[in-house]
Amino acid sequence: MLSMCCVGCCDAHSAAALRSLRGELGERLRALRQTITQLDEAIAAAKRGDEGSSPVAQLGERLKSAHEERLEVEARLGIMGGASGDSGTSSSGSSELIQLDTPDRFGLVMRYSDDTELSRELLLSTAEVFGAMDVRKCIAESQGNVVGEHIAEKFAKRILDLHSQGNFHGGGRTSLSALTQLRMGISWRDSGGSFVRASNGSAMRASPVGLMFYSSPPSVVAQIAALQSHVTHQDPQSKSGAAAIALAVSQCIQCALSNAEIDPQAFMRNIQAECVGIDPGCRFAEAVSSMLNAKTVDQAHSMLPPTPPTYISSSVNWPISTFVTPTVLWALYSFLRTPHCFAQTLAASIRPGGDADTVAAIACAISGAYNGYRRIFDCGSLQSWISRVADRANTQRNLSELITLAQSSANAAYIS
């Protein structure tokens, strides 16, 4: 995930051009909505057998095409600067589209952060385990903990090697403390115990667990997510936050494969059912449900629980600190308010500021699991973000490699 996201105003000339293009897209969006309504009515008439009706299959193809174009127009509006009216994809009480400018006009150079880096290392660690042992058999025999322990061990070795080579970008105090312990030869089982706090580092990297174990029982997904967290983040709140993100990705893949719509309430109940076994005080479902009923994104932000005074961090006064609970809640909210629109999920995730790169990395991982590669990268405006990454040649190559790895690993990981 790109760690610098640009939101702001442009000069008068650019603003005029932007308003003109927004107006054109807004008109196209309104026309598409009208077409979709007419097609829905025509399909209903065809099913009733009304005289002169077109074949249902033909109407269905036209409807599908109209919906796909609508999603693309909404994504472009979300990326380039908002529009009036309902986005048509919101699951919440809020119908606003959020302004999100591309980085080109600012001439900025960006780089990815430890969010992407550690997610990659966890994915590679998990793929190694699938190649080294019979994961399906272990899970079938209720030994998911054995799989999780092997993943945690390999992940600890990978991040230690990464740090030793000088390739570790950033990282919070909790993760760096664990790395110090690993360098001293301390086991992964104890490396995260020297500095325990409920920060969000293990949640930000947990999405590969959902990818690799999407067909496993939810209890296994939660267990493995908590074990990978244990390497660096041993607080129960951090572990439950990691489990929540892995479970969200897992559910999204299941819904995408079955062409099912996301039911936000059921989605969150399923997450909480597993997370309370890790952190009995977890209230993710109630919090996100309330936020989805907010009339605006800003109102939803005001409903986030405050960072507790016992949390030790320089981020305590940020709009969203590194404390795991608001990070996870805001990422889940950002996705569930517009599950079909990657651009609007991204825009909502960074709107409050604070630890925006982590929240955006999590929210967009969930959205990507549901919407898939095509819906993300068919939105041409996102290419301008990638073109501004400092080491974009390596990023582009690594991106292709990771996409291939994720696809092949998910296929290999399928557990019937």
Side-chain angles (χ1 to χ4, degrees), residues 130 134-137 139 210-217 253-254 257 406-416:
F130 270 89
D134 192 339
V135 172
R136 294 176 177 83
K137 182 179 178 182
I139 292 176
L211 169 71
M212 298 294 280
F213 295 94
Y214 70 89
S215 60
S216 300
I253 294 174
Q254 292 172 14
L257 290 175
Q407 291 171 337
S408 60
S409 297
N411 290 333
Y414 182 79
I415 300 167
S416 58

mmCIF file with all atom_site columns, all heavy atoms in Angstrom, residues 130 134-137 139 210-217 253-254 257 406-416:
data_model
loop_
_atom_site.group_PDB
_atom_site.id
_atom_site.type_symbol
_atom_site.label_atom_id
_atom_site.label_alt_id
_atom_site.label_comp_id
_atom_site.label_asym_id
_atom_site.label_entity_id
_atom_site.label_seq_id
_atom_site.pdbx_PDB_ins_code
_atom_site.Cartn_x
_atom_site.Cartn_y
_atom_site.Cartn_z
_atom_site.occupancy
_atom_site.B_iso_or_equiv
_atom_site.pdbx_formal_charge
_atom_site.auth_seq_id
_atom_site.auth_comp_id
_atom_site.auth_asym_id
_atom_site.auth_atom_id
_atom_site.pdbx_PDB_model_num
ATOM 1   N N   . PHE A 1 130 ? 3.042   -24.226 3.229   1.00 0.00 ? 130 PHE A N   1
ATOM 2   C CA  . PHE A 1 130 ? 2.220   -25.065 2.355   1.00 0.00 ? 130 PHE A CA  1
ATOM 3   C C   . PHE A 1 130 ? 3.088   -25.995 1.499   1.00 0.00 ? 130 PHE A C   1
ATOM 4   O O   . PHE A 1 130 ? 2.659   -27.088 1.131   1.00 0.00 ? 130 PHE A O   1
ATOM 5   C CB  . PHE A 1 130 ? 1.331   -24.205 1.454   1.00 0.00 ? 130 PHE A CB  1
ATOM 6   C CG  . PHE A 1 130 ? -0.001  -23.896 2.057   1.00 0.00 ? 130 PHE A CG  1
ATOM 7   C CD1 . PHE A 1 130 ? -0.177  -22.777 2.846   1.00 0.00 ? 130 PHE A CD1 1
ATOM 8   C CD2 . PHE A 1 130 ? -1.083  -24.740 1.855   1.00 0.00 ? 130 PHE A CD2 1
ATOM 9   C CE1 . PHE A 1 130 ? -1.412  -22.482 3.411   1.00 0.00 ? 130 PHE A CE1 1
ATOM 10  C CE2 . PHE A 1 130 ? -2.307  -24.465 2.411   1.00 0.00 ? 130 PHE A CE2 1
ATOM 11  C CZ  . PHE A 1 130 ? -2.481  -23.330 3.199   1.00 0.00 ? 130 PHE A CZ  1
ATOM 12  N N   . ASP A 1 134 ? 1.820   -31.076 5.053   1.00 0.00 ? 134 ASP A N   1
ATOM 13  C CA  . ASP A 1 134 ? 0.457   -31.345 4.595   1.00 0.00 ? 134 ASP A CA  1
ATOM 14  C C   . ASP A 1 134 ? -0.516  -30.518 5.433   1.00 0.00 ? 134 ASP A C   1
ATOM 15  O O   . ASP A 1 134 ? -1.039  -30.971 6.448   1.00 0.00 ? 134 ASP A O   1
ATOM 16  C CB  . ASP A 1 134 ? 0.144   -32.836 4.720   1.00 0.00 ? 134 ASP A CB  1
ATOM 17  C CG  . ASP A 1 134 ? -1.143  -33.227 3.987   1.00 0.00 ? 134 ASP A CG  1
ATOM 18  O OD1 . ASP A 1 134 ? -1.968  -32.328 3.748   1.00 0.00 ? 134 ASP A OD1 1
ATOM 19  O OD2 . ASP A 1 134 ? -1.322  -34.413 3.677   1.00 0.00 ? 134 ASP A OD2 1
ATOM 20  N N   . VAL A 1 135 ? -0.733  -29.299 4.980   1.00 0.00 ? 135 VAL A N   1
ATOM 21  C CA  . VAL A 1 135 ? -1.568  -28.365 5.738   1.00 0.00 ? 135 VAL A CA  1
ATOM 22  C C   . VAL A 1 135 ? -3.007  -28.865 5.817   1.00 0.00 ? 135 VAL A C   1
ATOM 23  O O   . VAL A 1 135 ? -3.660  -28.782 6.858   1.00 0.00 ? 135 VAL A O   1
ATOM 24  C CB  . VAL A 1 135 ? -1.504  -26.964 5.097   1.00 0.00 ? 135 VAL A CB  1
ATOM 25  C CG1 . VAL A 1 135 ? -2.520  -26.030 5.749   1.00 0.00 ? 135 VAL A CG1 1
ATOM 26  C CG2 . VAL A 1 135 ? -0.104  -26.388 5.228   1.00 0.00 ? 135 VAL A CG2 1
ATOM 27  N N   . ARG A 1 136 ? -3.508  -29.377 4.706   1.00 0.00 ? 136 ARG A N   1
ATOM 28  C CA  . ARG A 1 136 ? -4.891  -29.861 4.688   1.00 0.00 ? 136 ARG A CA  1
ATOM 29  C C   . ARG A 1 136 ? -5.119  -30.934 5.754   1.00 0.00 ? 136 ARG A C   1
ATOM 30  O O   . ARG A 1 136 ? -6.127  -30.933 6.458   1.00 0.00 ? 136 ARG A O   1
ATOM 31  C CB  . ARG A 1 136 ? -5.235  -30.416 3.304   1.00 0.00 ? 136 ARG A CB  1
ATOM 32  C CG  . ARG A 1 136 ? -5.263  -29.379 2.191   1.00 0.00 ? 136 ARG A CG  1
ATOM 33  C CD  . ARG A 1 136 ? -5.508  -30.064 0.852   1.00 0.00 ? 136 ARG A CD  1
ATOM 34  N NE  . ARG A 1 136 ? -5.612  -29.113 -0.236  1.00 0.00 ? 136 ARG A NE  1
ATOM 35  C CZ  . ARG A 1 136 ? -4.577  -28.592 -0.869  1.00 0.00 ? 136 ARG A CZ  1
ATOM 36  N NH1 . ARG A 1 136 ? -3.346  -28.914 -0.498  1.00 0.00 ? 136 ARG A NH1 1
ATOM 37  N NH2 . ARG A 1 136 ? -4.753  -27.736 -1.862  1.00 0.00 ? 136 ARG A NH2 1
ATOM 38  N N   . LYS A 1 137 ? -4.171  -31.859 5.839   1.00 0.00 ? 137 LYS A N   1
ATOM 39  C CA  . LYS A 1 137 ? -4.300  -32.949 6.805   1.00 0.00 ? 137 LYS A CA  1
ATOM 40  C C   . LYS A 1 137 ? -4.278  -32.416 8.234   1.00 0.00 ? 137 LYS A C   1
ATOM 41  O O   . LYS A 1 137 ? -5.081  -32.837 9.078   1.00 0.00 ? 137 LYS A O   1
ATOM 42  C CB  . LYS A 1 137 ? -3.170  -33.954 6.612   1.00 0.00 ? 137 LYS A CB  1
ATOM 43  C CG  . LYS A 1 137 ? -3.244  -35.154 7.550   1.00 0.00 ? 137 LYS A CG  1
ATOM 44  C CD  . LYS A 1 137 ? -2.099  -36.127 7.288   1.00 0.00 ? 137 LYS A CD  1
ATOM 45  C CE  . LYS A 1 137 ? -2.167  -37.301 8.274   1.00 0.00 ? 137 LYS A CE  1
ATOM 46  N NZ  . LYS A 1 137 ? -1.033  -38.241 8.065   1.00 0.00 ? 137 LYS A NZ  1
ATOM 47  N N   . ILE A 1 139 ? -5.173  -29.460 9.330   1.00 0.00 ? 139 ILE A N   1
ATOM 48  C CA  . ILE A 1 139 ? -6.413  -28.757 9.649   1.00 0.00 ? 139 ILE A CA  1
ATOM 49  C C   . ILE A 1 139 ? -7.558  -29.749 9.806   1.00 0.00 ? 139 ILE A C   1
ATOM 50  O O   . ILE A 1 139 ? -8.399  -29.616 10.697  1.00 0.00 ? 139 ILE A O   1
ATOM 51  C CB  . ILE A 1 139 ? -6.711  -27.699 8.577   1.00 0.00 ? 139 ILE A CB  1
ATOM 52  C CG1 . ILE A 1 139 ? -5.658  -26.581 8.672   1.00 0.00 ? 139 ILE A CG1 1
ATOM 53  C CG2 . ILE A 1 139 ? -8.121  -27.129 8.735   1.00 0.00 ? 139 ILE A CG2 1
ATOM 54  C CD1 . ILE A 1 139 ? -5.777  -25.523 7.626   1.00 0.00 ? 139 ILE A CD1 1
ATOM 55  N N   . GLY A 1 210 ? -6.056  -14.637 5.750   1.00 0.00 ? 210 GLY A N   1
ATOM 56  C CA  . GLY A 1 210 ? -7.394  -14.789 5.185   1.00 0.00 ? 210 GLY A CA  1
ATOM 57  C C   . GLY A 1 210 ? -7.359  -15.316 3.768   1.00 0.00 ? 210 GLY A C   1
ATOM 58  O O   . GLY A 1 210 ? -8.199  -16.124 3.364   1.00 0.00 ? 210 GLY A O   1
ATOM 59  N N   . LEU A 1 211 ? -6.363  -14.866 2.990   1.00 0.00 ? 211 LEU A N   1
ATOM 60  C CA  . LEU A 1 211 ? -6.208  -15.332 1.616   1.00 0.00 ? 211 LEU A CA  1
ATOM 61  C C   . LEU A 1 211 ? -5.890  -16.822 1.566   1.00 0.00 ? 211 LEU A C   1
ATOM 62  O O   . LEU A 1 211 ? -6.509  -17.585 0.825   1.00 0.00 ? 211 LEU A O   1
ATOM 63  C CB  . LEU A 1 211 ? -5.092  -14.536 0.929   1.00 0.00 ? 211 LEU A CB  1
ATOM 64  C CG  . LEU A 1 211 ? -4.608  -15.069 -0.426  1.00 0.00 ? 211 LEU A CG  1
ATOM 65  C CD1 . LEU A 1 211 ? -5.669  -14.852 -1.495  1.00 0.00 ? 211 LEU A CD1 1
ATOM 66  C CD2 . LEU A 1 211 ? -3.302  -14.394 -0.833  1.00 0.00 ? 211 LEU A CD2 1
ATOM 67  N N   . MET A 1 212 ? -4.934  -17.234 2.364   1.00 0.00 ? 212 MET A N   1
ATOM 68  C CA  . MET A 1 212 ? -4.450  -18.604 2.288   1.00 0.00 ? 212 MET A CA  1
ATOM 69  C C   . MET A 1 212 ? -5.379  -19.621 2.950   1.00 0.00 ? 212 MET A C   1
ATOM 70  O O   . MET A 1 212 ? -5.329  -20.809 2.630   1.00 0.00 ? 212 MET A O   1
ATOM 71  C CB  . MET A 1 212 ? -3.057  -18.683 2.932   1.00 0.00 ? 212 MET A CB  1
ATOM 72  C CG  . MET A 1 212 ? -2.011  -17.838 2.238   1.00 0.00 ? 212 MET A CG  1
ATOM 73  S SD  . MET A 1 212 ? -1.626  -18.399 0.569   1.00 0.00 ? 212 MET A SD  1
ATOM 74  C CE  . MET A 1 212 ? -0.525  -19.756 0.928   1.00 0.00 ? 212 MET A CE  1
ATOM 75  N N   . PHE A 1 213 ? -6.192  -19.158 3.881   1.00 0.00 ? 213 PHE A N   1
ATOM 76  C CA  . PHE A 1 213 ? -7.034  -20.095 4.633   1.00 0.00 ? 213 PHE A CA  1
ATOM 77  C C   . PHE A 1 213 ? -8.524  -19.763 4.509   1.00 0.00 ? 213 PHE A C   1
ATOM 78  O O   . PHE A 1 213 ? -9.309  -20.070 5.394   1.00 0.00 ? 213 PHE A O   1
ATOM 79  C CB  . PHE A 1 213 ? -6.613  -20.102 6.108   1.00 0.00 ? 213 PHE A CB  1
ATOM 80  C CG  . PHE A 1 213 ? -5.221  -20.628 6.329   1.00 0.00 ? 213 PHE A CG  1
ATOM 81  C CD1 . PHE A 1 213 ? -4.140  -19.760 6.392   1.00 0.00 ? 213 PHE A CD1 1
ATOM 82  C CD2 . PHE A 1 213 ? -4.979  -21.988 6.430   1.00 0.00 ? 213 PHE A CD2 1
ATOM 83  C CE1 . PHE A 1 213 ? -2.846  -20.238 6.569   1.00 0.00 ? 213 PHE A CE1 1
ATOM 84  C CE2 . PHE A 1 213 ? -3.702  -22.480 6.606   1.00 0.00 ? 213 PHE A CE2 1
ATOM 85  C CZ  . PHE A 1 213 ? -2.625  -21.604 6.676   1.00 0.00 ? 213 PHE A CZ  1
ATOM 86  N N   . TYR A 1 214 ? -8.909  -19.168 3.377   1.00 0.00 ? 214 TYR A N   1
ATOM 87  C CA  . TYR A 1 214 ? -10.296 -18.716 3.232   1.00 0.00 ? 214 TYR A CA  1
ATOM 88  C C   . TYR A 1 214 ? -11.299 -19.861 3.268   1.00 0.00 ? 214 TYR A C   1
ATOM 89  O O   . TYR A 1 214 ? -12.466 -19.666 3.615   1.00 0.00 ? 214 TYR A O   1
ATOM 90  C CB  . TYR A 1 214 ? -10.461 -17.920 1.931   1.00 0.00 ? 214 TYR A CB  1
ATOM 91  C CG  . TYR A 1 214 ? -10.366 -18.727 0.660   1.00 0.00 ? 214 TYR A CG  1
ATOM 92  C CD1 . TYR A 1 214 ? -11.495 -19.328 0.093   1.00 0.00 ? 214 TYR A CD1 1
ATOM 93  C CD2 . TYR A 1 214 ? -9.139  -18.896 0.021   1.00 0.00 ? 214 TYR A CD2 1
ATOM 94  C CE1 . TYR A 1 214 ? -11.401 -20.076 -1.068  1.00 0.00 ? 214 TYR A CE1 1
ATOM 95  C CE2 . TYR A 1 214 ? -9.036  -19.640 -1.146  1.00 0.00 ? 214 TYR A CE2 1
ATOM 96  C CZ  . TYR A 1 214 ? -10.168 -20.230 -1.680  1.00 0.00 ? 214 TYR A CZ  1
ATOM 97  O OH  . TYR A 1 214 ? -10.070 -20.957 -2.830  1.00 0.00 ? 214 TYR A OH  1
ATOM 98  N N   . SER A 1 215 ? -10.870 -21.064 2.902   1.00 0.00 ? 215 SER A N   1
ATOM 99  C CA  . SER A 1 215 ? -11.800 -22.194 2.902   1.00 0.00 ? 215 SER A CA  1
ATOM 100 C C   . SER A 1 215 ? -11.712 -23.022 4.173   1.00 0.00 ? 215 SER A C   1
ATOM 101 O O   . SER A 1 215 ? -12.367 -24.053 4.285   1.00 0.00 ? 215 SER A O   1
ATOM 102 C CB  . SER A 1 215 ? -11.544 -23.088 1.685   1.00 0.00 ? 215 SER A CB  1
ATOM 103 O OG  . SER A 1 215 ? -10.217 -23.591 1.712   1.00 0.00 ? 215 SER A OG  1
ATOM 104 N N   . SER A 1 216 ? -10.895 -22.569 5.124   1.00 0.00 ? 216 SER A N   1
ATOM 105 C CA  . SER A 1 216 ? -10.776 -23.264 6.407   1.00 0.00 ? 216 SER A CA  1
ATOM 106 C C   . SER A 1 216 ? -11.850 -22.767 7.371   1.00 0.00 ? 216 SER A C   1
ATOM 107 O O   . SER A 1 216 ? -12.425 -21.691 7.175   1.00 0.00 ? 216 SER A O   1
ATOM 108 C CB  . SER A 1 216 ? -9.392  -23.012 7.015   1.00 0.00 ? 216 SER A CB  1
ATOM 109 O OG  . SER A 1 216 ? -8.373  -23.475 6.169   1.00 0.00 ? 216 SER A OG  1
ATOM 110 N N   . PRO A 1 217 ? -12.111 -23.513 8.442   1.00 0.00 ? 217 PRO A N   1
ATOM 111 C CA  . PRO A 1 217 ? -13.062 -23.026 9.450   1.00 0.00 ? 217 PRO A CA  1
ATOM 112 C C   . PRO A 1 217 ? -12.602 -21.682 10.020  1.00 0.00 ? 217 PRO A C   1
ATOM 113 O O   . PRO A 1 217 ? -11.392 -21.452 10.171  1.00 0.00 ? 217 PRO A O   1
ATOM 114 C CB  . PRO A 1 217 ? -13.018 -24.124 10.524  1.00 0.00 ? 217 PRO A CB  1
ATOM 115 C CG  . PRO A 1 217 ? -12.556 -25.345 9.800   1.00 0.00 ? 217 PRO A CG  1
ATOM 116 C CD  . PRO A 1 217 ? -11.610 -24.855 8.746   1.00 0.00 ? 217 PRO A CD  1
ATOM 117 N N   . ILE A 1 253 ? -13.450 -13.255 0.222   1.00 0.00 ? 253 ILE A N   1
ATOM 118 C CA  . ILE A 1 253 ? -13.132 -14.199 -0.845  1.00 0.00 ? 253 ILE A CA  1
ATOM 119 C C   . ILE A 1 253 ? -14.277 -15.185 -1.032  1.00 0.00 ? 253 ILE A C   1
ATOM 120 O O   . ILE A 1 253 ? -14.675 -15.499 -2.166  1.00 0.00 ? 253 ILE A O   1
ATOM 121 C CB  . ILE A 1 253 ? -11.811 -14.926 -0.543  1.00 0.00 ? 253 ILE A CB  1
ATOM 122 C CG1 . ILE A 1 253 ? -10.655 -13.929 -0.565  1.00 0.00 ? 253 ILE A CG1 1
ATOM 123 C CG2 . ILE A 1 253 ? -11.570 -16.047 -1.561  1.00 0.00 ? 253 ILE A CG2 1
ATOM 124 C CD1 . ILE A 1 253 ? -9.323  -14.504 -0.141  1.00 0.00 ? 253 ILE A CD1 1
ATOM 125 N N   . GLN A 1 254 ? -14.835 -15.664 0.058   1.00 0.00 ? 254 GLN A N   1
ATOM 126 C CA  . GLN A 1 254 ? -15.965 -16.591 -0.037  1.00 0.00 ? 254 GLN A CA  1
ATOM 127 C C   . GLN A 1 254 ? -17.149 -15.941 -0.750  1.00 0.00 ? 254 GLN A C   1
ATOM 128 O O   . GLN A 1 254 ? -17.790 -16.560 -1.612  1.00 0.00 ? 254 GLN A O   1
ATOM 129 C CB  . GLN A 1 254 ? -16.373 -17.050 1.356   1.00 0.00 ? 254 GLN A CB  1
ATOM 130 C CG  . GLN A 1 254 ? -15.348 -17.943 2.043   1.00 0.00 ? 254 GLN A CG  1
ATOM 131 C CD  . GLN A 1 254 ? -15.704 -18.218 3.488   1.00 0.00 ? 254 GLN A CD  1
ATOM 132 O OE1 . GLN A 1 254 ? -16.817 -17.969 3.935   1.00 0.00 ? 254 GLN A OE1 1
ATOM 133 N NE2 . GLN A 1 254 ? -14.743 -18.724 4.246   1.00 0.00 ? 254 GLN A NE2 1
ATOM 134 N N   . LEU A 1 257 ? -16.350 -15.487 -4.543  1.00 0.00 ? 257 LEU A N   1
ATOM 135 C CA  . LEU A 1 257 ? -16.397 -16.739 -5.293  1.00 0.00 ? 257 LEU A CA  1
ATOM 136 C C   . LEU A 1 257 ? -17.822 -17.225 -5.530  1.00 0.00 ? 257 LEU A C   1
ATOM 137 O O   . LEU A 1 257 ? -18.105 -17.897 -6.522  1.00 0.00 ? 257 LEU A O   1
ATOM 138 C CB  . LEU A 1 257 ? -15.594 -17.821 -4.549  1.00 0.00 ? 257 LEU A CB  1
ATOM 139 C CG  . LEU A 1 257 ? -14.075 -17.633 -4.541  1.00 0.00 ? 257 LEU A CG  1
ATOM 140 C CD1 . LEU A 1 257 ? -13.416 -18.693 -3.668  1.00 0.00 ? 257 LEU A CD1 1
ATOM 141 C CD2 . LEU A 1 257 ? -13.505 -17.688 -5.950  1.00 0.00 ? 257 LEU A CD2 1
ATOM 142 N N   . ALA A 1 406 ? 0.078   -14.832 -4.941  1.00 0.00 ? 406 ALA A N   1
ATOM 143 C CA  . ALA A 1 406 ? -1.199  -14.857 -4.211  1.00 0.00 ? 406 ALA A CA  1
ATOM 144 C C   . ALA A 1 406 ? -2.209  -15.769 -4.900  1.00 0.00 ? 406 ALA A C   1
ATOM 145 O O   . ALA A 1 406 ? -2.905  -16.554 -4.244  1.00 0.00 ? 406 ALA A O   1
ATOM 146 C CB  . ALA A 1 406 ? -1.763  -13.442 -4.087  1.00 0.00 ? 406 ALA A CB  1
ATOM 147 N N   . GLN A 1 407 ? -2.259  -15.669 -6.242  1.00 0.00 ? 407 GLN A N   1
ATOM 148 C CA  . GLN A 1 407 ? -3.207  -16.485 -6.991  1.00 0.00 ? 407 GLN A CA  1
ATOM 149 C C   . GLN A 1 407 ? -2.880  -17.979 -6.882  1.00 0.00 ? 407 GLN A C   1
ATOM 150 O O   . GLN A 1 407 ? -3.732  -18.809 -6.593  1.00 0.00 ? 407 GLN A O   1
ATOM 151 C CB  . GLN A 1 407 ? -3.242  -16.050 -8.454  1.00 0.00 ? 407 GLN A CB  1
ATOM 152 C CG  . GLN A 1 407 ? -3.867  -14.674 -8.649  1.00 0.00 ? 407 GLN A CG  1
ATOM 153 C CD  . GLN A 1 407 ? -3.711  -14.164 -10.071 1.00 0.00 ? 407 GLN A CD  1
ATOM 154 O OE1 . GLN A 1 407 ? -2.810  -14.580 -10.803 1.00 0.00 ? 407 GLN A OE1 1
ATOM 155 N NE2 . GLN A 1 407 ? -4.571  -13.250 -10.463 1.00 0.00 ? 407 GLN A NE2 1
ATOM 156 N N   . SER A 1 408 ? -1.586  -18.307 -7.092  1.00 0.00 ? 408 SER A N   1
ATOM 157 C CA  . SER A 1 408 ? -1.188  -19.713 -7.039  1.00 0.00 ? 408 SER A CA  1
ATOM 158 C C   . SER A 1 408 ? -1.282  -20.265 -5.630  1.00 0.00 ? 408 SER A C   1
ATOM 159 O O   . SER A 1 408 ? -1.690  -21.400 -5.413  1.00 0.00 ? 408 SER A O   1
ATOM 160 C CB  . SER A 1 408 ? 0.231   -19.884 -7.581  1.00 0.00 ? 408 SER A CB  1
ATOM 161 O OG  . SER A 1 408 ? 1.150   -19.138 -6.814  1.00 0.00 ? 408 SER A OG  1
ATOM 162 N N   . SER A 1 409 ? -0.919  -19.432 -4.651  1.00 0.00 ? 409 SER A N   1
ATOM 163 C CA  . SER A 1 409 ? -0.970  -19.886 -3.265  1.00 0.00 ? 409 SER A CA  1
ATOM 164 C C   . SER A 1 409 ? -2.401  -20.119 -2.805  1.00 0.00 ? 409 SER A C   1
ATOM 165 O O   . SER A 1 409 ? -2.692  -21.106 -2.134  1.00 0.00 ? 409 SER A O   1
ATOM 166 C CB  . SER A 1 409 ? -0.302  -18.854 -2.348  1.00 0.00 ? 409 SER A CB  1
ATOM 167 O OG  . SER A 1 409 ? 1.061   -18.706 -2.651  1.00 0.00 ? 409 SER A OG  1
ATOM 168 N N   . ALA A 1 410 ? -3.298  -19.200 -3.201  1.00 0.00 ? 410 ALA A N   1
ATOM 169 C CA  . ALA A 1 410 ? -4.703  -19.359 -2.807  1.00 0.00 ? 410 ALA A CA  1
ATOM 170 C C   . ALA A 1 410 ? -5.294  -20.615 -3.430  1.00 0.00 ? 410 ALA A C   1
ATOM 171 O O   . ALA A 1 410 ? -6.068  -21.334 -2.786  1.00 0.00 ? 410 ALA A O   1
ATOM 172 C CB  . ALA A 1 410 ? -5.501  -18.134 -3.230  1.00 0.00 ? 410 ALA A CB  1
ATOM 173 N N   . ASN A 1 411 ? -4.916  -20.904 -4.674  1.00 0.00 ? 411 ASN A N   1
ATOM 174 C CA  . ASN A 1 411 ? -5.402  -22.134 -5.311  1.00 0.00 ? 411 ASN A CA  1
ATOM 175 C C   . ASN A 1 411 ? -4.858  -23.365 -4.604  1.00 0.00 ? 411 ASN A C   1
ATOM 176 O O   . ASN A 1 411 ? -5.585  -24.326 -4.345  1.00 0.00 ? 411 ASN A O   1
ATOM 177 C CB  . ASN A 1 411 ? -4.990  -22.159 -6.792  1.00 0.00 ? 411 ASN A CB  1
ATOM 178 C CG  . ASN A 1 411 ? -5.734  -21.134 -7.611  1.00 0.00 ? 411 ASN A CG  1
ATOM 179 O OD1 . ASN A 1 411 ? -6.845  -20.756 -7.260  1.00 0.00 ? 411 ASN A OD1 1
ATOM 180 N ND2 . ASN A 1 411 ? -5.149  -20.679 -8.697  1.00 0.00 ? 411 ASN A ND2 1
ATOM 181 N N   . ALA A 1 412 ? -3.577  -23.320 -4.255  1.00 0.00 ? 412 ALA A N   1
ATOM 182 C CA  . ALA A 1 412 ? -2.959  -24.450 -3.567  1.00 0.00 ? 412 ALA A CA  1
ATOM 183 C C   . ALA A 1 412 ? -3.527  -24.622 -2.169  1.00 0.00 ? 412 ALA A C   1
ATOM 184 O O   . ALA A 1 412 ? -3.598  -25.723 -1.632  1.00 0.00 ? 412 ALA A O   1
ATOM 185 C CB  . ALA A 1 412 ? -1.448  -24.260 -3.500  1.00 0.00 ? 412 ALA A CB  1
ATOM 186 N N   . ALA A 1 413 ? -3.944  -23.484 -1.577  1.00 0.00 ? 413 ALA A N   1
ATOM 187 C CA  . ALA A 1 413 ? -4.395  -23.502 -0.194  1.00 0.00 ? 413 ALA A CA  1
ATOM 188 C C   . ALA A 1 413 ? -5.834  -23.962 -0.054  1.00 0.00 ? 413 ALA A C   1
ATOM 189 O O   . ALA A 1 413 ? -6.288  -24.164 1.075   1.00 0.00 ? 413 ALA A O   1
ATOM 190 C CB  . ALA A 1 413 ? -4.256  -22.104 0.415   1.00 0.00 ? 413 ALA A CB  1
ATOM 191 N N   . TYR A 1 414 ? -6.556  -24.096 -1.159  1.00 0.00 ? 414 TYR A N   1
ATOM 192 C CA  . TYR A 1 414 ? -7.968  -24.437 -1.062  1.00 0.00 ? 414 TYR A CA  1
ATOM 193 C C   . TYR A 1 414 ? -8.155  -25.748 -0.323  1.00 0.00 ? 414 TYR A C   1
ATOM 194 O O   . TYR A 1 414 ? -7.566  -26.763 -0.662  1.00 0.00 ? 414 TYR A O   1
ATOM 195 C CB  . TYR A 1 414 ? -8.629  -24.535 -2.435  1.00 0.00 ? 414 TYR A CB  1
ATOM 196 C CG  . TYR A 1 414 ? -10.105 -24.848 -2.326  1.00 0.00 ? 414 TYR A CG  1
ATOM 197 C CD1 . TYR A 1 414 ? -11.003 -23.837 -2.003  1.00 0.00 ? 414 TYR A CD1 1
ATOM 198 C CD2 . TYR A 1 414 ? -10.583 -26.132 -2.472  1.00 0.00 ? 414 TYR A CD2 1
ATOM 199 C CE1 . TYR A 1 414 ? -12.347 -24.104 -1.865  1.00 0.00 ? 414 TYR A CE1 1
ATOM 200 C CE2 . TYR A 1 414 ? -11.922 -26.418 -2.343  1.00 0.00 ? 414 TYR A CE2 1
ATOM 201 C CZ  . TYR A 1 414 ? -12.803 -25.388 -2.036  1.00 0.00 ? 414 TYR A CZ  1
ATOM 202 O OH  . TYR A 1 414 ? -14.142 -25.652 -1.888  1.00 0.00 ? 414 TYR A OH  1
ATOM 203 N N   . ILE A 1 415 ? -8.941  -25.698 0.727   1.00 0.00 ? 415 ILE A N   1
ATOM 204 C CA  . ILE A 1 415 ? -9.158  -26.863 1.581   1.00 0.00 ? 415 ILE A CA  1
ATOM 205 C C   . ILE A 1 415 ? -10.639 -27.189 1.554   1.00 0.00 ? 415 ILE A C   1
ATOM 206 O O   . ILE A 1 415 ? -11.465 -26.440 2.067   1.00 0.00 ? 415 ILE A O   1
ATOM 207 C CB  . ILE A 1 415 ? -8.701  -26.582 3.024   1.00 0.00 ? 415 ILE A CB  1
ATOM 208 C CG1 . ILE A 1 415 ? -7.207  -26.248 3.020   1.00 0.00 ? 415 ILE A CG1 1
ATOM 209 C CG2 . ILE A 1 415 ? -8.972  -27.801 3.906   1.00 0.00 ? 415 ILE A CG2 1
ATOM 210 C CD1 . ILE A 1 415 ? -6.721  -25.661 4.318   1.00 0.00 ? 415 ILE A CD1 1
ATOM 211 N N   . SER A 1 416 ? -11.021 -28.282 0.921   1.00 0.00 ? 416 SER A N   1
ATOM 212 C CA  . SER A 1 416 ? -12.430 -28.615 0.778   1.00 0.00 ? 416 SER A CA  1
ATOM 213 C C   . SER A 1 416 ? -12.960 -29.259 2.044   1.00 0.00 ? 416 SER A C   1
ATOM 214 O O   . SER A 1 416 ? -12.207 -29.716 2.876   1.00 0.00 ? 416 SER A O   1
ATOM 215 C CB  . SER A 1 416 ? -12.599 -29.565 -0.404  1.00 0.00 ? 416 SER A CB  1
ATOM 216 O OG  . SER A 1 416 ? -11.842 -30.722 -0.220  1.00 0.00 ? 416 SER A OG  1
#
